[in-house]
Amino acid sequence: MQIYLVGGAVRDRLLGIDVYDRDWVVVGTDASEMLNLGFQPVGKDFPVFLHPDSHEEYALARTERKSGQGYGGFQFHAAADVTLEQDLLRRDLTINAIAEDDQGRLYDPYHGQQDLQQRLFRHVSPAFAEDPLRVLRVARFLARFHHLGFTIAPETLALMQRLSLSGELLALSAERVWKETERALQEPNPQHFFITLARCGALKALMPELALDLDPEAEPETDPVTDPETDLATDLETPHAVAINALIGACSFSNDAAVRWATFCHITDSLEALEQLHQRLKIPKHFREAATLLWRFHQLLQQPLTAASVMTLYQGLDLQRRPERLTPFIEGCRAIAGDDSEKLLASANALEQLIAQIGAIQPRQLVNEGFKGAKLGQELQRRQYTTVEQLLHPQTTD
């Protein structure tokens, strides 16, 4: 039995990046021996085990054969006679198909180190096109590593286009699509995730409400997927250039994936289309709320504040009960504002102060004054409105 460190841990170490998760492949054994050694199986049909002490994942060397549609449409063969080279051949990219033994020796049958040096995402074999999830994974890798100069090899992008146009992507579960999207939103450059999906036709297939105006068959002089120096927004038609620039802005204002998602989603044509997207991808509630609120109310903060607009924001965002919503909402508005974000910051600061004053008006005080029922709510809103009006226009009020 031989054990090798594989995948992202080897890749990241060679790139000089901190390694947090380690995956191992075990060659020359079978499931019964793993169980005898105290390893715990993960699932029933997948040859992966948890180490009894470290709880890291150890997978038996395996081959796989396409047997159906989608991410799960594969049959696996895991046995003692499967070689390390055979196991590495089934992986997605050459840079993820490097193994390291316990002496620190590297095994790189598919030239992943060369592609690391060239900062290139290249598929290991034509079998890449059998797994539609790899389209999303490669797009996410570009979101993570673009700042290091990585690009996608043209032949790999061509396979991604073929996969996207084949209908295979539709076999992916909503949970799988969203998981990759959420992870991409947490990367340094999530705009490259969406631009890559648009380039290969996957965005139109999976998220038509967000489909960017990019023709997967077009061959521009410079391609933001294969040329790291290209300004993404220059290859887009508005309002999609606005969406990409807003997403870039959101990354500078916030590490919150929900803020980034909400900012990018503000270009959807209607609230109904946004809700349709959320339902289809089964997006978590706090992402849905952030996107819906920003879509509905962001324009109010891009205009001079009035008592009416402040009250609309206060009530629409439900800030009396959910004051934590204000900061991410402002971050999204600033990202959408683009070059005017500093000007908007002044309005945002004023809004925060006004909201604090509104919140200082306590219903209990009105109850002590004798208000109750519907009259209590009416008086509360009247005083809140009057307070905002007086603060906005002190020279015209007594």
Side-chain angles (χ1 to χ4, degrees):
M1 183 173 71
Q2 296 173 298
I3 299 175
Y4 300 89
L5 183 66
V6 293
V10 180
R11 176 199 68 218
D12 289 353
R13 186 183 66 76
L14 292 174
L15 287 172
I17 298 174
D18 292 338
V19 174
Y20 297 101
D21 297 315
R22 300 189 301 175
D23 293 313
W24 307 84
V25 64
V26 185
V27 179
T29 190
D30 56 23
S32 61
E33 184 175 358
M34 297 293 287
L35 294 174
N36 290 336
L37 292 172
F39 285 80
Q40 298 297 314
V42 177
K44 294 188 301 182
D45 303 319
F46 206 62
V48 177
F49 301 82
L50 297 181
H51 191 281
D53 298 321
S54 70
H55 302 292
E56 292 178 330
E57 289 191 356
Y58 284 67
L60 294 179
R62 62 187 186 270
T63 59
E64 57 189 34
R65 181 174 62 84
K66 185 73 170 174
S67 59
Q69 277 195 319
Y71 169 76
F74 292 90
Q75 290 183 346
F76 297 98
H77 171 67
D81 61 348
V82 178
T83 67
L84 177 62
E85 288 74 14
Q86 288 175 313
D87 181 88
L88 296 176
L89 181 64
R90 68 177 177 79
R91 297 177 185 269
D92 51 5
L93 300 174
T94 60
I95 64 171
N96 296 328
I98 308 171
E100 180 179 329
D101 66 15
D102 58 0
Q103 301 299 313
R105 292 173 297 203
L106 295 177
Y107 295 82
D108 182 18
Y110 307 109
H111 313 295
Q113 293 177 87
Q114 178 179 322
D115 286 337
L116 276 178
Q117 294 172 355
Q118 296 179 357
R119 297 296 194 256
L120 202 60
F121 296 137
R122 190 195 310 275
H123 60 281
V124 177
S125 76
F128 175 96
E130 296 177 350
D131 185 354
L133 186 64
R134 288 174 172 176
V135 173
L136 296 168
R137 281 175 52 84
V138 173
R140 176 169 58 81
F141 284 140
L142 193 61
R144 178 185 299 180
F145 293 121
H146 184 271
H147 69 288
L148 297 179
F150 274 88
T151 59
I152 301 174
E155 60 270 27
T156 300
L157 183 61
L159 285 182
M160 294 167 64
Q161 291 173 338
R162 187 187 311 168
L163 258 175
S164 300
L165 297 174
S166 70
E168 277 272 331
L169 290 175
L170 300 180
L172 292 173
S173 69
E175 291 80 4
R176 279 284 174 185
V177 174
W178 175 249
K179 181 178 179 181
E180 291 297 321
T181 302
E182 183 177 0
R183 292 179 69 182
L185 288 165
Q186 297 167 358
E187 302 293 1
N189 294 285
Q191 69 274 15
H192 286 279
F193 174 78
F194 295 106
I195 218 80
T196 300
L197 295 186
R199 270 279 173 247
C200 65
L203 194 64
K204 185 175 182 180
L206 296 172
M207 308 177 201
E209 298 84 359
L210 301 176
L212 305 179
D213 289 337
L214 292 175
D215 181 358
E217 302 298 330
E219 297 182 359
E221 293 183 5
T222 56
D223 190 325
V225 175
T226 58
D227 182 355
E229 302 302 321
T230 301
D231 180 2
L232 298 181
T234 61
D235 196 43
L236 298 170
E237 298 291 336
T238 53
H240 299 109
V242 174
I244 289 295
N245 285 328
L247 180 55
I248 294 171
C251 294
S252 67
F253 295 133
S254 177
N255 291 323
D256 188 339
V259 172
R260 297 177 176 188
W261 172 252
T263 302
F264 189 63
C265 286
H266 87 279
I267 63 162
T268 51
D269 293 335
S270 66
L271 200 57
E272 291 76 15
L274 181 60
E275 181 58 27
Q276 178 178 296
L277 172 66
H278 287 160
Q279 290 182 358
R280 190 175 61 258
L281 294 186
K282 300 180 181 179
I283 292 175
K285 182 178 179 181
H286 69 286
F287 282 87
R288 298 199 311 268
E289 289 180 344
T292 299
L293 293 174
L294 190 63
W295 193 97
R296 290 181 61 192
F297 299 115
H298 73 88
Q299 291 182 339
L300 292 179
L301 200 54
Q302 295 173 343
Q303 304 166 0
L305 291 176
T306 65
S309 65
V310 171
M311 290 304 301
T312 297
L313 288 169
Y314 184 73
Q315 295 168 357
L317 298 177
D318 194 15
L319 295 176
Q320 182 175 349
R321 295 188 306 166
R322 303 287 300 277
E324 72 279 1
R325 285 178 170 176
L326 184 58
T327 295
F329 174 77
I330 289 174
E331 291 171 342
C333 289
R334 290 190 66 193
I336 293 171
D339 293 339
D340 293 328
S341 64
E342 291 304 315
K343 184 189 301 184
L344 185 140
L345 182 58
S347 295
N349 290 335
L351 177 64
E352 290 179 321
Q353 295 174 20
L354 292 168
I355 295 300
Q357 293 299 317
I358 294 174
I361 304 173
Q362 295 296 318
R364 182 177 297 276
Q365 173 188 343
L366 303 185
V367 172
N368 293 337
E369 295 178 17
F371 291 96
K372 58 184 179 179
K375 291 185 177 180
L376 172 62
Q378 294 169 0
E379 180 63 15
L380 178 62
Q381 290 189 28
R382 187 193 70 79
R383 293 196 187 187
Q384 290 171 339
Y385 185 96
T386 300
T387 297
V388 174
E389 187 70 30
Q390 289 174 342
L391 291 171
L392 287 173
H393 308 289
Q395 73 279 7
T396 63
T397 57
D398 184 38

